[in-house]
mmCIF file of all heavy atoms in Angstrom:
data_model
loop_
_atom_site.group_PDB
_atom_site.id
_atom_site.type_symbol
_atom_site.label_atom_id
_atom_site.label_comp_id
_atom_site.label_asym_id
_atom_site.label_seq_id
_atom_site.Cartn_x
_atom_site.Cartn_y
_atom_site.Cartn_z
ATOM 1 N N GLU U 177 39.396 63.286 -52.491
ATOM 2 C CA GLU U 177 38.637 63.542 -51.275
ATOM 3 C C GLU U 177 39.215 62.668 -50.176
ATOM 4 O O GLU U 177 39.521 61.490 -50.400
ATOM 5 C CB GLU U 177 37.155 63.233 -51.495
ATOM 6 C CG GLU U 177 36.267 63.610 -50.315
ATOM 7 C CD GLU U 177 34.779 63.513 -50.642
ATOM 8 O OE1 GLU U 177 34.453 62.904 -51.677
ATOM 9 O OE2 GLU U 177 33.970 64.038 -49.871
ATOM 10 N N TYR U 178 39.346 63.234 -48.970
ATOM 11 C CA TYR U 178 39.982 62.538 -47.853
ATOM 12 C C TYR U 178 38.929 61.955 -46.917
ATOM 13 O O TYR U 178 38.086 62.680 -46.391
ATOM 14 C CB TYR U 178 40.882 63.511 -47.097
ATOM 15 C CG TYR U 178 41.729 62.888 -46.011
ATOM 16 C CD1 TYR U 178 42.227 61.595 -46.125
ATOM 17 C CD2 TYR U 178 42.062 63.606 -44.873
ATOM 18 C CE1 TYR U 178 43.008 61.039 -45.135
ATOM 19 C CE2 TYR U 178 42.855 63.064 -43.877
ATOM 20 C CZ TYR U 178 43.325 61.777 -44.014
ATOM 21 O OH TYR U 178 44.104 61.236 -43.024
ATOM 22 N N PHE U 179 38.998 60.642 -46.708
ATOM 23 C CA PHE U 179 38.054 59.948 -45.834
ATOM 24 C C PHE U 179 38.650 59.602 -44.478
ATOM 25 O O PHE U 179 38.022 58.917 -43.680
ATOM 26 C CB PHE U 179 37.527 58.687 -46.531
ATOM 27 C CG PHE U 179 36.479 58.983 -47.559
ATOM 28 C CD1 PHE U 179 36.835 59.458 -48.811
ATOM 29 C CD2 PHE U 179 35.125 58.832 -47.279
ATOM 30 C CE1 PHE U 179 35.871 59.756 -49.766
ATOM 31 C CE2 PHE U 179 34.162 59.132 -48.214
ATOM 32 C CZ PHE U 179 34.528 59.590 -49.464
ATOM 33 N N GLY U 180 39.852 60.092 -44.211
ATOM 34 C CA GLY U 180 40.501 59.832 -42.935
ATOM 35 C C GLY U 180 41.488 58.683 -43.010
ATOM 36 O O GLY U 180 41.465 57.860 -43.914
ATOM 37 N N HIS U 181 42.394 58.640 -42.013
ATOM 38 C CA HIS U 181 43.445 57.633 -41.919
ATOM 39 C C HIS U 181 44.281 57.679 -43.209
ATOM 40 O O HIS U 181 44.847 58.716 -43.512
ATOM 41 C CB HIS U 181 42.849 56.259 -41.636
ATOM 42 C CG HIS U 181 43.814 55.314 -41.005
ATOM 43 N ND1 HIS U 181 44.583 55.663 -39.922
ATOM 44 C CD2 HIS U 181 44.142 54.015 -41.290
ATOM 45 C CE1 HIS U 181 45.338 54.635 -39.573
ATOM 46 N NE2 HIS U 181 45.101 53.625 -40.385
ATOM 47 N N SER U 182 44.290 56.604 -44.005
ATOM 48 C CA SER U 182 45.041 56.620 -45.269
ATOM 49 C C SER U 182 44.126 56.473 -46.470
ATOM 50 O O SER U 182 44.584 56.095 -47.556
ATOM 51 C CB SER U 182 46.074 55.483 -45.278
ATOM 52 O OG SER U 182 47.035 55.664 -44.271
ATOM 53 N N CYS U 183 42.845 56.754 -46.298
ATOM 54 C CA CYS U 183 41.845 56.511 -47.337
ATOM 55 C C CYS U 183 41.492 57.788 -48.102
ATOM 56 O O CYS U 183 41.076 58.788 -47.509
ATOM 57 C CB CYS U 183 40.585 55.913 -46.718
ATOM 58 S SG CYS U 183 39.311 55.499 -47.929
ATOM 59 N N PHE U 184 41.668 57.721 -49.402
ATOM 60 C CA PHE U 184 41.318 58.819 -50.300
ATOM 61 C C PHE U 184 40.537 58.262 -51.479
ATOM 62 O O PHE U 184 40.762 57.131 -51.907
ATOM 63 C CB PHE U 184 42.572 59.503 -50.849
ATOM 64 C CG PHE U 184 43.414 60.205 -49.828
ATOM 65 C CD1 PHE U 184 44.308 59.481 -49.042
ATOM 66 C CD2 PHE U 184 43.333 61.574 -49.651
ATOM 67 C CE1 PHE U 184 45.101 60.115 -48.102
ATOM 68 C CE2 PHE U 184 44.120 62.223 -48.714
ATOM 69 C CZ PHE U 184 45.009 61.490 -47.934
ATOM 70 N N ASP U 197 43.265 52.477 -49.976
ATOM 71 C CA ASP U 197 43.308 51.968 -48.604
ATOM 72 C C ASP U 197 42.035 52.195 -47.770
ATOM 73 O O ASP U 197 42.052 52.916 -46.763
ATOM 74 C CB ASP U 197 44.513 52.564 -47.877
ATOM 75 C CG ASP U 197 45.805 51.862 -48.266
ATOM 76 O OD1 ASP U 197 45.808 51.127 -49.261
ATOM 77 O OD2 ASP U 197 46.810 52.041 -47.557
ATOM 78 N N PRO U 198 40.916 51.551 -48.148
ATOM 79 C CA PRO U 198 39.714 51.619 -47.311
ATOM 80 C C PRO U 198 39.937 50.908 -45.974
ATOM 81 O O PRO U 198 40.659 49.910 -45.903
ATOM 82 C CB PRO U 198 38.663 50.897 -48.160
ATOM 83 C CG PRO U 198 39.449 49.950 -49.007
ATOM 84 C CD PRO U 198 40.737 50.670 -49.319
ATOM 85 N N PHE U 199 39.326 51.429 -44.922
ATOM 86 C CA PHE U 199 39.478 50.862 -43.577
ATOM 87 C C PHE U 199 38.139 50.331 -43.064
ATOM 88 O O PHE U 199 37.076 50.708 -43.571
ATOM 89 C CB PHE U 199 40.038 51.915 -42.612
ATOM 90 C CG PHE U 199 39.254 53.201 -42.589
ATOM 91 C CD1 PHE U 199 38.090 53.346 -41.851
ATOM 92 C CD2 PHE U 199 39.685 54.306 -43.337
ATOM 93 C CE1 PHE U 199 37.372 54.530 -41.834
ATOM 94 C CE2 PHE U 199 38.985 55.495 -43.332
ATOM 95 C CZ PHE U 199 37.817 55.610 -42.579
ATOM 96 N N ASN U 200 38.195 49.480 -42.028
ATOM 97 C CA ASN U 200 36.956 48.948 -41.457
ATOM 98 C C ASN U 200 36.611 49.651 -40.148
ATOM 99 O O ASN U 200 37.259 50.618 -39.745
ATOM 100 C CB ASN U 200 37.029 47.421 -41.304
ATOM 101 C CG ASN U 200 37.979 46.959 -40.207
ATOM 102 O OD1 ASN U 200 38.455 47.756 -39.383
ATOM 103 N ND2 ASN U 200 38.259 45.670 -40.173
ATOM 104 N N GLU U 201 35.587 49.142 -39.464
ATOM 105 C CA GLU U 201 35.046 49.816 -38.281
ATOM 106 C C GLU U 201 36.025 49.867 -37.109
ATOM 107 O O GLU U 201 35.869 50.700 -36.203
ATOM 108 C CB GLU U 201 33.746 49.140 -37.855
ATOM 109 C CG GLU U 201 33.880 47.722 -37.315
ATOM 110 C CD GLU U 201 34.042 46.682 -38.404
ATOM 111 O OE1 GLU U 201 33.881 47.029 -39.594
ATOM 112 O OE2 GLU U 201 34.338 45.521 -38.053
ATOM 113 N N LYS U 202 37.038 49.019 -37.095
ATOM 114 C CA LYS U 202 37.983 49.005 -35.977
ATOM 115 C C LYS U 202 38.780 50.299 -35.882
ATOM 116 O O LYS U 202 39.311 50.623 -34.828
ATOM 117 C CB LYS U 202 38.939 47.826 -36.124
ATOM 118 C CG LYS U 202 38.295 46.462 -35.972
ATOM 119 C CD LYS U 202 39.332 45.355 -36.119
ATOM 120 C CE LYS U 202 38.698 43.975 -36.044
ATOM 121 N NZ LYS U 202 39.723 42.906 -36.234
ATOM 122 N N VAL U 203 38.869 51.039 -36.964
ATOM 123 C CA VAL U 203 39.643 52.283 -36.965
ATOM 124 C C VAL U 203 38.931 53.371 -36.152
ATOM 125 O O VAL U 203 39.569 54.248 -35.576
ATOM 126 C CB VAL U 203 39.910 52.744 -38.413
ATOM 127 C CG1 VAL U 203 40.590 54.111 -38.446
ATOM 128 C CG2 VAL U 203 40.787 51.724 -39.128
ATOM 129 N N GLY U 204 37.601 53.320 -36.112
ATOM 130 C CA GLY U 204 36.858 54.274 -35.297
ATOM 131 C C GLY U 204 36.317 55.476 -36.036
ATOM 132 O O GLY U 204 35.720 56.370 -35.434
ATOM 133 N N TYR U 205 36.504 55.538 -37.346
ATOM 134 C CA TYR U 205 35.998 56.641 -38.157
ATOM 135 C C TYR U 205 34.815 56.153 -38.995
ATOM 136 O O TYR U 205 34.671 54.949 -39.246
ATOM 137 C CB TYR U 205 37.076 57.168 -39.109
ATOM 138 C CG TYR U 205 38.390 57.543 -38.476
ATOM 139 C CD1 TYR U 205 39.581 57.387 -39.177
ATOM 140 C CD2 TYR U 205 38.452 58.072 -37.186
ATOM 141 C CE1 TYR U 205 40.802 57.730 -38.609
ATOM 142 C CE2 TYR U 205 39.669 58.420 -36.616
ATOM 143 C CZ TYR U 205 40.840 58.243 -37.328
ATOM 144 O OH TYR U 205 42.041 58.584 -36.766
ATOM 145 N N PRO U 206 33.961 57.054 -39.467
ATOM 146 C CA PRO U 206 32.898 56.650 -40.392
ATOM 147 C C PRO U 206 33.478 55.926 -41.601
ATOM 148 O O PRO U 206 34.495 56.356 -42.161
ATOM 149 C CB PRO U 206 32.257 57.984 -40.781
ATOM 150 C CG PRO U 206 32.527 58.889 -39.619
ATOM 151 C CD PRO U 206 33.893 58.499 -39.127
ATOM 152 N N LEU U 207 32.855 54.838 -42.000
ATOM 153 C CA LEU U 207 33.399 53.999 -43.064
ATOM 154 C C LEU U 207 33.330 54.686 -44.433
ATOM 155 O O LEU U 207 32.380 55.427 -44.710
ATOM 156 C CB LEU U 207 32.647 52.671 -43.129
ATOM 157 C CG LEU U 207 32.751 51.785 -41.888
ATOM 158 C CD1 LEU U 207 31.882 50.537 -42.058
ATOM 159 C CD2 LEU U 207 34.198 51.390 -41.632
ATOM 160 N N PRO U 208 34.301 54.428 -45.284
ATOM 161 C CA PRO U 208 34.293 54.996 -46.647
ATOM 162 C C PRO U 208 33.392 54.187 -47.579
ATOM 163 O O PRO U 208 33.854 53.584 -48.558
ATOM 164 C CB PRO U 208 35.764 54.900 -47.053
ATOM 165 C CG PRO U 208 36.268 53.697 -46.328
ATOM 166 C CD PRO U 208 35.554 53.699 -44.999
ATOM 167 N N SER U 209 32.118 54.161 -47.271
ATOM 168 C CA SER U 209 31.153 53.350 -48.029
ATOM 169 C C SER U 209 30.606 54.135 -49.211
ATOM 170 O O SER U 209 29.457 54.602 -49.206
ATOM 171 C CB SER U 209 30.017 52.887 -47.108
ATOM 172 O OG SER U 209 30.516 52.098 -46.061
ATOM 173 N N VAL U 210 31.432 54.296 -50.222
ATOM 174 C CA VAL U 210 31.057 55.014 -51.436
ATOM 175 C C VAL U 210 31.379 54.140 -52.639
ATOM 176 O O VAL U 210 32.130 53.171 -52.543
ATOM 177 C CB VAL U 210 31.782 56.370 -51.543
ATOM 178 C CG1 VAL U 210 31.374 57.289 -50.396
ATOM 179 C CG2 VAL U 210 33.293 56.169 -51.560
ATOM 180 N N ASP U 223 43.097 48.214 -41.468
ATOM 181 C CA ASP U 223 42.916 49.660 -41.647
ATOM 182 C C ASP U 223 43.363 50.128 -43.037
ATOM 183 O O ASP U 223 43.452 51.327 -43.282
ATOM 184 C CB ASP U 223 43.650 50.441 -40.560
ATOM 185 C CG ASP U 223 45.123 50.057 -40.400
ATOM 186 O OD1 ASP U 223 45.481 48.912 -40.713
ATOM 187 O OD2 ASP U 223 45.916 50.907 -39.946
ATOM 188 N N PRO U 333 49.571 65.013 -45.851
ATOM 189 C CA PRO U 333 49.850 64.096 -44.747
ATOM 190 C C PRO U 333 48.659 63.176 -44.473
ATOM 191 O O PRO U 333 47.504 63.566 -44.644
ATOM 192 C CB PRO U 333 50.100 65.038 -43.570
ATOM 193 C CG PRO U 333 49.268 66.252 -43.888
ATOM 194 C CD PRO U 333 49.306 66.383 -45.386
ATOM 195 N N MET U 334 48.957 61.952 -44.056
ATOM 196 C CA MET U 334 47.904 60.985 -43.712
ATOM 197 C C MET U 334 48.420 60.076 -42.600
ATOM 198 O O MET U 334 49.565 60.193 -42.158
ATOM 199 C CB MET U 334 47.519 60.157 -44.936
ATOM 200 C CG MET U 334 48.619 59.253 -45.463
ATOM 201 S SD MET U 334 48.087 58.282 -46.905
ATOM 202 C CE MET U 334 49.508 57.202 -47.135
ATOM 203 N N HIS U 335 47.552 59.203 -42.119
ATOM 204 C CA HIS U 335 47.917 58.207 -41.109
ATOM 205 C C HIS U 335 48.469 58.880 -39.849
ATOM 206 O O HIS U 335 49.530 58.529 -39.340
ATOM 207 C CB HIS U 335 48.929 57.209 -41.680
ATOM 208 C CG HIS U 335 48.889 55.863 -41.013
ATOM 209 N ND1 HIS U 335 49.521 55.598 -39.826
ATOM 210 C CD2 HIS U 335 48.293 54.703 -41.372
ATOM 211 C CE1 HIS U 335 49.334 54.334 -39.476
ATOM 212 N NE2 HIS U 335 48.580 53.760 -40.413
ATOM 213 N N TYR U 336 47.723 59.867 -39.359
ATOM 214 C CA TYR U 336 48.044 60.507 -38.089
ATOM 215 C C TYR U 336 46.834 60.378 -37.175
ATOM 216 O O TYR U 336 45.738 60.024 -37.601
ATOM 217 C CB TYR U 336 48.430 61.971 -38.291
ATOM 218 C CG TYR U 336 47.467 62.790 -39.125
ATOM 219 C CD1 TYR U 336 46.317 63.343 -38.562
ATOM 220 C CD2 TYR U 336 47.705 63.012 -40.482
ATOM 221 C CE1 TYR U 336 45.438 64.095 -39.322
ATOM 222 C CE2 TYR U 336 46.840 63.754 -41.249
ATOM 223 C CZ TYR U 336 45.703 64.292 -40.662
ATOM 224 O OH TYR U 336 44.818 65.023 -41.428
ATOM 225 N N LYS U 337 47.037 60.652 -35.907
ATOM 226 C CA LYS U 337 45.995 60.430 -34.912
ATOM 227 C C LYS U 337 44.911 61.494 -35.002
ATOM 228 O O LYS U 337 45.195 62.690 -34.965
ATOM 229 C CB LYS U 337 46.588 60.422 -33.503
ATOM 230 C CG LYS U 337 45.595 60.032 -32.407
ATOM 231 C CD LYS U 337 46.298 59.953 -31.066
ATOM 232 C CE LYS U 337 45.353 59.543 -29.964
ATOM 233 N NZ LYS U 337 44.802 58.186 -30.173
ATOM 234 N N MET U 338 43.664 61.028 -35.130
ATOM 235 C CA MET U 338 42.502 61.911 -35.076
ATOM 236 C C MET U 338 41.665 61.517 -33.860
ATOM 237 O O MET U 338 41.998 60.577 -33.137
ATOM 238 C CB MET U 338 41.664 61.772 -36.351
ATOM 239 C CG MET U 338 42.360 62.196 -37.616
ATOM 240 S SD MET U 338 41.283 61.965 -39.072
ATOM 241 C CE MET U 338 42.323 62.649 -40.349
ATOM 242 N N SER U 339 40.567 62.206 -33.633
ATOM 243 C CA SER U 339 39.683 61.854 -32.533
ATOM 244 C C SER U 339 39.087 60.469 -32.768
ATOM 245 O O SER U 339 39.004 59.979 -33.895
ATOM 246 C CB SER U 339 38.562 62.894 -32.405
ATOM 247 O OG SER U 339 37.810 62.942 -33.608
ATOM 248 N N ASP U 340 38.665 59.804 -31.686
ATOM 249 C CA ASP U 340 38.030 58.486 -31.754
ATOM 250 C C ASP U 340 38.940 57.420 -32.341
ATOM 251 O O ASP U 340 38.485 56.466 -32.957
ATOM 252 C CB ASP U 340 36.732 58.549 -32.574
ATOM 253 C CG ASP U 340 35.718 59.525 -31.986
ATOM 254 O OD1 ASP U 340 35.620 59.573 -30.753
ATOM 255 O OD2 ASP U 340 35.067 60.230 -32.762
ATOM 256 N N ASN U 341 40.225 57.594 -32.139
ATOM 257 C CA ASN U 341 41.180 56.599 -32.615
ATOM 258 C C ASN U 341 42.232 56.381 -31.545
ATOM 259 O O ASN U 341 42.754 57.338 -30.969
ATOM 260 C CB ASN U 341 41.837 57.072 -33.914
ATOM 261 C CG ASN U 341 42.813 56.057 -34.456
ATOM 262 O OD1 ASN U 341 43.944 55.989 -34.006
ATOM 263 N ND2 ASN U 341 42.373 55.272 -35.415
ATOM 264 N N GLU U 342 42.542 55.127 -31.261
ATOM 265 C CA GLU U 342 43.457 54.812 -30.170
ATOM 266 C C GLU U 342 44.834 54.356 -30.655
ATOM 267 O O GLU U 342 45.632 53.852 -29.882
ATOM 268 C CB GLU U 342 42.832 53.732 -29.268
ATOM 269 C CG GLU U 342 41.546 54.193 -28.595
ATOM 270 C CD GLU U 342 40.937 53.138 -27.686
ATOM 271 O OE1 GLU U 342 41.487 52.014 -27.647
ATOM 272 O OE2 GLU U 342 39.932 53.433 -27.027
ATOM 273 N N PHE U 343 45.126 54.515 -31.933
ATOM 274 C CA PHE U 343 46.448 54.143 -32.427
ATOM 275 C C PHE U 343 47.524 54.990 -31.744
ATOM 276 O O PHE U 343 47.336 56.198 -31.546
ATOM 277 C CB PHE U 343 46.553 54.350 -33.934
ATOM 278 C CG PHE U 343 45.730 53.387 -34.750
ATOM 279 C CD1 PHE U 343 45.222 53.763 -35.977
ATOM 280 C CD2 PHE U 343 45.482 52.104 -34.294
ATOM 281 C CE1 PHE U 343 44.480 52.882 -36.750
ATOM 282 C CE2 PHE U 343 44.746 51.211 -35.052
ATOM 283 C CZ PHE U 343 44.235 51.597 -36.279
ATOM 284 N N ILE U 345 49.968 56.813 -32.471
ATOM 285 C CA ILE U 345 50.666 57.575 -33.500
ATOM 286 C C ILE U 345 50.555 59.069 -33.210
ATOM 287 O O ILE U 345 49.721 59.498 -32.410
ATOM 288 C CB ILE U 345 50.111 57.248 -34.905
ATOM 289 C CG1 ILE U 345 48.596 57.471 -34.968
ATOM 290 C CG2 ILE U 345 50.447 55.809 -35.276
ATOM 291 C CD1 ILE U 345 47.972 57.143 -36.328
ATOM 292 N N LEU U 348 48.412 65.416 -36.099
ATOM 293 C CA LEU U 348 48.785 66.303 -37.191
ATOM 294 C C LEU U 348 49.635 67.464 -36.684
ATOM 295 O O LEU U 348 50.634 67.841 -37.307
ATOM 296 C CB LEU U 348 47.529 66.832 -37.885
ATOM 297 C CG LEU U 348 47.760 67.858 -38.993
ATOM 298 C CD1 LEU U 348 48.582 67.261 -40.128
ATOM 299 C CD2 LEU U 348 46.426 68.389 -39.519
ATOM 300 N N ASN U 363 40.946 73.616 -45.391
ATOM 301 C CA ASN U 363 39.671 73.620 -44.673
ATOM 302 C C ASN U 363 38.575 72.892 -45.448
ATOM 303 O O ASN U 363 37.418 73.296 -45.471
ATOM 304 C CB ASN U 363 39.228 75.054 -44.366
ATOM 305 C CG ASN U 363 38.177 75.084 -43.265
ATOM 306 O OD1 ASN U 363 38.211 74.267 -42.344
ATOM 307 N ND2 ASN U 363 37.239 76.022 -43.359
ATOM 308 N N SER U 364 38.950 71.807 -46.117
ATOM 309 C CA SER U 364 37.998 71.047 -46.918
ATOM 310 C C SER U 364 38.496 69.614 -47.047
ATOM 311 O O SER U 364 39.697 69.349 -46.954
ATOM 312 C CB SER U 364 37.841 71.675 -48.305
ATOM 313 O OG SER U 364 37.022 70.859 -49.134
ATOM 314 N N SER U 365 37.561 68.694 -47.285
ATOM 315 C CA SER U 365 37.942 67.297 -47.531
ATOM 316 C C SER U 365 38.193 67.051 -49.012
ATOM 317 O O SER U 365 38.610 65.952 -49.389
ATOM 318 C CB SER U 365 36.836 66.358 -47.039
ATOM 319 O OG SER U 365 35.638 66.568 -47.784
ATOM 320 N N LYS U 366 37.963 68.071 -49.846
ATOM 321 C CA LYS U 366 38.115 67.909 -51.291
ATOM 322 C C LYS U 366 39.207 68.835 -51.821
ATOM 323 O O LYS U 366 39.355 69.960 -51.346
ATOM 324 C CB LYS U 366 36.785 68.202 -51.997
ATOM 325 C CG LYS U 366 35.666 67.238 -51.607
ATOM 326 C CD LYS U 366 34.373 67.570 -52.336
ATOM 327 C CE LYS U 366 33.269 66.596 -51.953
ATOM 328 N NZ LYS U 366 31.996 66.890 -52.646
ATOM 329 N N MET U 381 44.450 68.596 -45.595
ATOM 330 C CA MET U 381 43.031 68.401 -45.888
ATOM 331 C C MET U 381 42.284 68.003 -44.617
ATOM 332 O O MET U 381 42.861 67.446 -43.681
ATOM 333 C CB MET U 381 42.864 67.293 -46.932
ATOM 334 C CG MET U 381 43.576 67.565 -48.241
ATOM 335 S SD MET U 381 43.409 66.214 -49.439
ATOM 336 C CE MET U 381 41.643 66.300 -49.809
ATOM 337 N N LYS U 382 41.002 68.269 -44.588
ATOM 338 C CA LYS U 382 40.149 67.751 -43.543
ATOM 339 C C LYS U 382 39.554 66.425 -43.996
ATOM 340 O O LYS U 382 39.306 66.232 -45.191
ATOM 341 C CB LYS U 382 39.012 68.724 -43.229
ATOM 342 C CG LYS U 382 39.430 69.918 -42.393
ATOM 343 C CD LYS U 382 38.216 70.676 -41.928
ATOM 344 C CE LYS U 382 38.595 71.748 -40.901
ATOM 345 N NZ LYS U 382 37.387 72.465 -40.397
ATOM 346 N N ALA U 383 39.321 65.515 -43.080
ATOM 347 C CA ALA U 383 38.598 64.299 -43.409
ATOM 348 C C ALA U 383 37.118 64.640 -43.558
ATOM 349 O O ALA U 383 36.639 65.655 -43.009
ATOM 350 C CB ALA U 383 38.786 63.242 -42.338
ATOM 351 N N VAL U 384 36.386 63.831 -44.286
ATOM 352 C CA VAL U 384 34.980 64.118 -44.560
ATOM 353 C C VAL U 384 34.165 64.270 -43.268
ATOM 354 O O VAL U 384 33.138 64.971 -43.262
ATOM 355 C CB VAL U 384 34.353 63.041 -45.445
ATOM 356 C CG1 VAL U 384 34.971 63.052 -46.833
ATOM 357 C CG2 VAL U 384 34.485 61.659 -44.826
ATOM 358 N N PHE U 385 34.591 63.622 -42.189
ATOM 359 C CA PHE U 385 33.820 63.649 -40.945
ATOM 360 C C PHE U 385 34.266 64.747 -39.980
ATOM 361 O O PHE U 385 33.696 64.906 -38.915
ATOM 362 C CB PHE U 385 33.886 62.293 -40.252
ATOM 363 C CG PHE U 385 35.289 61.776 -40.039
ATOM 364 C CD1 PHE U 385 36.068 62.207 -38.976
ATOM 365 C CD2 PHE U 385 35.829 60.856 -40.926
ATOM 366 C CE1 PHE U 385 37.353 61.734 -38.804
ATOM 367 C CE2 PHE U 385 37.108 60.372 -40.757
ATOM 368 C CZ PHE U 385 37.879 60.807 -39.678
ATOM 369 N N GLU U 386 35.279 65.529 -40.353
ATOM 370 C CA GLU U 386 35.762 66.600 -39.480
ATOM 371 C C GLU U 386 34.987 67.884 -39.756
ATOM 372 O O GLU U 386 34.732 68.231 -40.909
ATOM 373 C CB GLU U 386 37.250 66.849 -39.695
ATOM 374 C CG GLU U 386 38.144 65.734 -39.203
ATOM 375 C CD GLU U 386 39.604 66.066 -39.328
ATOM 376 O OE1 GLU U 386 40.069 66.244 -40.471
ATOM 377 O OE2 GLU U 386 40.285 66.151 -38.299
ATOM 378 N N LYS U 387 34.649 68.613 -38.722
ATOM 379 C CA LYS U 387 33.913 69.867 -38.873
ATOM 380 C C LYS U 387 34.890 71.010 -39.149
ATOM 381 O O LYS U 387 36.033 70.981 -38.777
ATOM 382 C CB LYS U 387 33.114 70.168 -37.588
ATOM 383 C CG LYS U 387 32.017 69.137 -37.316
ATOM 384 C CD LYS U 387 31.245 69.495 -36.067
ATOM 385 C CE LYS U 387 30.128 68.499 -35.797
ATOM 386 N NZ LYS U 387 29.371 68.826 -34.573
#
Side-chain angles (χ1 to χ4, degrees):
E177 186 170 14
Y178 187 33
F179 282 79
H181 203 48
S182 296
C183 183
F184 295 81
D197 282 14
F199 53 81
N200 71 12
E201 68 281 351
K202 293 181 183 178
V203 174
Y205 307 148
L207 297 176
S209 299
V210 297
D223 52 333
M334 65 179 187
H335 206 278
Y336 50 82
K337 187 176 181 63
M338 296 179 176
S339 60
D340 301 321
N341 181 279
E342 297 181 356
F343 290 150
I345 55 181
L348 176 62
N363 198 34
S364 174
S365 64
K366 297 180 179 180
M381 301 178 67
K382 283 190 171 182
V384 294
F385 53 81
E386 290 185 297
K387 295 181 179 179

